[in-house]
């Protein structure tokens, strides 16, 4: 049985090296439409031009906090499934709990590897099949 893969993804991270690593990971699991942005404002522009099913994002972004980005993306999703995955590079537990309460679907801990990403995608597949908003994977 093959693992369902999101058709589109958006990576939001200020460092180019991180975006390239994450792009390679997404490609390795079969995702073909991948956009990236350096901050929240650019992410919202990318999302408006071509909405994504999966958004991998850093919590600390210039000009936009992770929670504000999550709220803005959820407002713009207009009924389609959207999985928000936090890129955890050593965040404290309070921040993670706050993100979960704000609607986080999952978190991907650094160093980023394909197997943890595959597990996250496998957990989120039920949301995509049902066409429901994500937020149930841990």
């Amino acid at each position: 049985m093959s693992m369902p893969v999101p058709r589109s993804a958006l990576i939001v991270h200020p460092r180019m090296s991180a975006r390239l690593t994450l792009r390679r990971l997404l490609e390795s699991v079969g995702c073909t439409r991948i956009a990236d942005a350096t901050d929240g404002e650019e992410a919202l522009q990318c999302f408006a031009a071509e909405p994504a099913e999966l958004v991998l994002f850093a919590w600390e972004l210039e000009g936009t906090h992770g929670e504000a980005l999550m709220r803005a993306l959820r407002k713009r999703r207009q009924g389609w499934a959207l999985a928000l995955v936090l890129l955890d590079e050593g965040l404290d537990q309070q921040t993670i709990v706050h993100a979960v309460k704000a609607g986080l679907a999952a978190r991907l801990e650094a160093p980023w590897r394909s197997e943890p990403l595959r597990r996250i995608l496998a957990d989120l597949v039920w949301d995509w099949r049902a066409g429901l908003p994500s937020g149930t994977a841990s």
Side-chain angles (χ1 to χ4, degrees):
M1 174 190 269
S2 66
M3 176 192 70
V5 175
R7 292 174 296 252
S8 57
L10 173 61
I11 302 163
V12 188
H13 199 286
R15 288 192 332 268
M16 181 184 290
S17 60
R19 293 191 309 274
L20 289 172
T21 297
L22 292 160
R23 176 178 289 275
R24 279 190 226 103
L25 279 180
L26 287 166
E27 289 170 347
S28 77
V29 299
C31 187
T32 56
R33 249 180 34 215
I34 305 166
D36 63 69
T38 59
D39 60 34
E41 184 177 321
E42 187 179 357
L44 293 174
Q45 290 171 357
C46 287
F47 196 82
E50 188 170 345
E53 295 171 308
L54 175 68
V55 179
L56 304 171
F57 68 100
W59 190 253
E60 297 296 330
L61 298 167
E62 188 172 322
T64 306
H65 193 268
E67 182 180 7
L69 177 61
M70 289 173 64
R71 273 197 310 268
L73 289 169
R74 286 196 183 283
K75 278 184 183 179
R76 288 168 174 80
R77 76 169 179 232
Q78 300 178 4
W80 60 84
L82 171 64
L84 298 171
V85 177
L86 177 62
L87 298 168
D88 185 350
E89 298 177 89
L91 295 170
D92 61 69
Q93 194 62 32
Q94 183 178 354
T95 300
I96 294 166
V97 168
H98 188 76
V100 169
K101 287 181 180 179
L104 184 67
R107 70 185 170 105
L108 182 61
E109 293 182 78
W112 304 310
R113 302 226 186 317
S114 62
E115 280 313 307
L117 178 59
R118 287 177 193 278
R119 284 193 299 274
I120 288 169
L121 295 177
D123 287 346
L124 294 173
V125 67
W126 298 110
D127 289 337
W128 289 327
R129 281 189 186 152
L132 301 172
S134 296
T136 57
S138 54

